[in-house]
Amino acid sequence: MPHCLYPLCKEAADRKAKGAILHDARTRAVLFNPSVKVSPEDFKEIREICPFDIPRYDEKTGGMAKCTMCFDRVGEGMLPACVKTCPTGR
């Protein structure tokens, strides 16, 4: 599944925790920065705006997380790890 063209979660995060979500213009990858701390209340608002219910909250670190679509691998011309290791080949 491709990442969002216009990530609403980033707009919400920019109001609550600037830099918590990044959007790469070239690949369209929506990346979460786990080093940016988000309060549980702010996270709830960020997650509720996502139409796909994607963001997850790490209570231990106070950061957000999600699949990165192997942004680093794809940037190097490689397949995402899940695609490379999928036993069904899909």
Side-chain angles (χ1 to χ4, degrees):
M1 174 179 187
H3 286 218
C4 299
L5 289 175
Y6 306 103
L8 298 175
C9 62
K10 181 183 180 334
E11 291 180 27
D14 283 348
R15 291 190 301 272
K16 302 293 183 176
K18 189 84 169 155
I21 299 178
L22 309 169
H23 190 222
D24 183 73
R26 184 177 63 82
T27 64
R28 296 187 350 230
V30 179
L31 306 169
F32 288 24
N33 183 348
S35 67
V36 175
K37 307 302 178 218
V38 179
S39 73
E41 296 80 21
D42 289 345
F43 170 74
K44 183 178 180 203
E45 186 175 324
I46 293 166
R47 183 172 181 176
E48 285 176 351
I49 202 166
C50 175
F52 305 106
D53 194 31
I54 297 296
R56 297 294 180 256
Y57 186 69
D58 186 334
E59 291 182 12
K60 292 180 184 175
T61 67
M64 295 188 301
K66 69 176 248 336
C67 170
T68 64
M69 275 184 60
C70 290
F71 177 73
D72 54 336
R73 292 179 57 85
V74 172
E76 294 294 322
M78 297 185 291
L79 292 173
C82 62
V83 172
K84 184 173 172 67
T85 61
C86 180
T88 67
R90 295 179 184 204

